[in-house]
Amino acid sequence: MSSEEPEIVRELREEERSGRLRVHDEGGVDDVVVEDADESWSVGCVPTGGGKKPVNLGDPVVLYQTIFENSAVAITLTDENERLIRWNPYAERLLGRGRDDLWMLPVKSLYPAEEWAKIRFQNVRQRGITHHLETRMVRKNGECFDVDLSLSMLKDQVGNVIGSIGIVKDISASKSLEKALRRSEETFKQLYEKAPVLYHTLSPRGEITNINEQWSRVMGYPKEEVLGKYIFDFIEFSERDAAVRSFESKIASKQQFSQPTERMYKTRSGEERIFLIRDFLVFDENDAVLSIQTTMVDVTERKMMEKSLLERRDELEQVVAERTAELLQKNVRLHEEAVEHEQIETALELTLSHLKESQDKIQEQNRQLRKLDELKTNFLNVASHELRTPLASIKGFAQIMHERMIGEISDEQERGLTVVLRNVERLDRLIQDILDISRLESGTMQYKPEPVTVSDLLTEAVNIVKPLTGHRKVTIHADDCHTLQPLIIDKGRIVQVLVNLLNNAVKFSPNQSTISVRTRLQGDQVLFEVEDQGRGIPADNLEKIFETFFQVDQGLDRKFGGTGLGLSIARGIVDAHGGRIWAESTPGAGSILRFTLPVISQIEQSHSQQKEIKITSHR
Ligand code: ADP
């Protein structure tokens, strides 16, 4: 073929050479199997009839026409007015247009307006050369698609343009692949740049080839300042050697992923931050490491928190250990205390059982004592009565004799009878006292309450005592309180009390001294006072003198006689009246014995109640 051959012819030759056309060589005849060839499908096609039939490819026209018809690229021919006059079947499929649509169609309408403008701008027609460009075409339904377009001008012998041949390849698939790739690249770039973690890319030598925005922000370096620098320069000094070794071993291992490691980096401001590093090795087609993609997650705060949590845990463990030790100590102490308590309890139980035994013994003794007491009281009652009966007859006969009622007696007999009568009197007095004590103790003392004036009481008592005072020249001065209202009392018993106090006062008074008796009303009580100027009573005996048989002077050297029963009986009687009796004294200067009586005494109610009177033996 000559150089004037149309471009399409040259391209078809090329197709043949590349083997893309299926050629059958049978019996020395070059045949091409034309599939679905149909005279009717395009203007200017070789009329080959329907079905498959052998075509003589020895004829170059037939050959190229066959190629033309079977080409997998669209081939179009235009006339000098740029209207379509020929095309192959593939062109119809690609352009989505039928024969009637294409025949004499201005080629311009196959392109979107802006693409046609571009083609026009390149002025292919004028330049008259084969032109190759990527553009877009439009189908009948308006759908646009990407194409690779080769345009060749057809000229006559004198160089006039008589038409053009266009060869159109559908590149929409590769274009959309390209776009998808671009989009994915862009997405990746965005992810890389905008990711909230730090990204850097390293060369296999450890030089930084890229960092993302977060890296720049956290580490404080602008991108241009770090590119080309060694990553190790940003690692905290003490970890640098370890980081280099780890990096080298990762490169040597050729493992795409490696275990995440923690590294401490130093930011531009000198701050130390801990990152969790994950490396991803990228290899070239020869398996050599091309780059290392690294993500760095800032775990500084988490690490600090972990550290403080660990410290806190240690502290807590310490506290727990201390508390446990304390508790153990306390436990030991409690155990010891429990043992001690148990011992005390046992001792207490023992003591209690001893006490119980003692109590039982005491109760038994008390019971026996009460029995003895009863026996004693009974004995005293019986004995006193039995003693008083013969004493009464002794007294009676002695008095009859003393008063010479049965005949004259000599002076000596009279003196003797006087002594007998005095001692009978003393004995009777003693027996009466014992009987009184016995009655008081047993609660059988009888009282006869009656209205009595204080004045009567005093007169009677003083008259009884007066005979004892004469030879001693002791004066009794009674403060006669006539204004007092009568008391409801047992007159005889209260006179007995007063006589007892006056007897003691006379007994313990020095010669020629005065005994004062005073009375006064205190609320609903009358106070009686008997004051002497005698030797007094020691302070520690002021209470004891009211006990049965108690005497200040004890033993054989006592000078004053007496039985120690008088005050005991006095207290029993006063108590029975609802009063109170007590003593005051200035030893060496005198004593005051006082008692009170309610104006209306309680003896009606109380006289039968048993009064506890202590019976003690002081001799
Ligand atoms: P007694 O028969 O011994 O007088 P009392 O019961 O009347 O018995 O008195 C008990 C004791 O109280 C007396 O023995 C005496 O020691 C003492 N006493 C009583 N009154 C006086 C007093 N006025 N002065 C000094 N001592 C007194």
Side-chain angles (χ1 to χ4, degrees), residues 34-60:
V34 180
E35 293 184 4
D36 299 328
D38 183 353
E39 196 184 1
S40 61
W41 59 259
S42 65
V43 178
C45 283
V46 178
T48 53
K52 295 178 184 177
K53 52 191 169 199
V55 176
N56 181 13
L57 295 178
D59 181 351

Side-chain angles (χ1 to χ4, degrees), residues 433 500-509 530-538 541 544-554 558 560-570 583 585 590-593 619:
D433 280 356
N500 189 278
L501 298 188
L502 286 168
N503 268 338
N504 282 343
V506 173
K507 195 158 59 172
F508 296 104
S509 284
V530 177
E531 184 175 7
D532 64 53
Q533 295 167 326
R535 60 171 194 176
I537 304 161
N541 288 336
K544 286 183 185 162
I545 55 173
F546 294 96
E547 292 173 5
T548 325
F549 298 121
F550 182 84
Q551 291 184 306
V552 174
D553 302 289
Q554 291 181 6
R558 65 199 177 90
F560 299 102
T563 59
L565 293 174
L567 288 179
S568 179
I569 293 165
S585 175
S591 312
I592 308 174
L593 271 289
R619 294 193 178 129

